[in-house]
Amino acid sequence: MSLTPDEARQELRRLRGSIDNMDSALVHLLAERFKVTQRVGELKATAGLPAADPEREAAQIARLRALAVEADLDPEFAEKFLTFIVREVVRHHEQIAAKQVD
Ligand SMILES: C=C(O[C@@H]1C=C(C(=O)O)C=C[C@H]1O)C(=O)O
């Protein structure tokens, strides 16, 4: 299928509109996730529980890797993405716990 330059530009605009919508959804989902993990961090700090839970993280990685395969997404990428987010969450939890000690 060969497109004229105008048709290609039109298709590019349409595809980028779709990418923008998905990026917006991702940002909103991440914001909601961080609101919930903030509450988890406060709960853990109050109860004296550790910031990180490696067992839970391993279970999440296994679950997301399987979901990624089903969804035709690279499971390595899914794991890296989750690990990146969880690392940030644990950093927040450590900060929340440190504030409680002050
Ligand atoms: C949110 C939690 O705290 C940490 C962050 C996790 C996450 O972002 O999913 C998972 C496990 C913990 O290391 C939790 O324990 O559920």
Side-chain angles (χ1 to χ4, degrees):
M1 180 182 71
S2 90
L3 300 174
T4 66
D6 266 0
E7 286 169 337
R9 269 191 286 274
Q10 203 181 337
E11 177 67 351
L12 184 59
R13 204 165 30 246
R14 197 186 63 76
L15 293 171
R16 284 179 174 172
S18 188
I19 290 168
D20 287 348
N21 286 342
M22 288 184 280
D23 286 348
S24 302
L26 270 177
V27 165
H28 284 107
L29 280 174
L30 281 171
E32 287 309 306
R33 192 185 198 280
F34 274 97
K35 279 179 201 158
V36 176
T37 57
Q38 170 77 19
R39 281 166 42 204
V40 171
E42 287 160 4
L43 182 68
K44 284 177 169 178
T46 307
L49 294 168
D53 182 341
E55 220 174 288
R56 161 83 175 148
E57 291 174 24
Q60 284 168 289
I61 287 169
R63 193 176 85 89
L64 279 206
R65 285 188 70 103
L67 279 175
V69 170
E70 270 177 42
D72 208 13
L73 178 72
D74 179 2
E76 287 300 314
F77 171 75
E79 176 169 347
K80 274 191 222 154
F81 184 61
L82 182 72
T83 302
F84 179 70
I85 295 167
V86 170
R87 208 179 297 133
E88 182 68 6
V89 170
V90 170
R91 198 177 65 80
H92 291 181
H93 286 185
E94 286 165 351
Q95 283 174 347
I96 296 167
K99 267 193 207 125
Q100 291 234 336
V101 172
D102 293 346

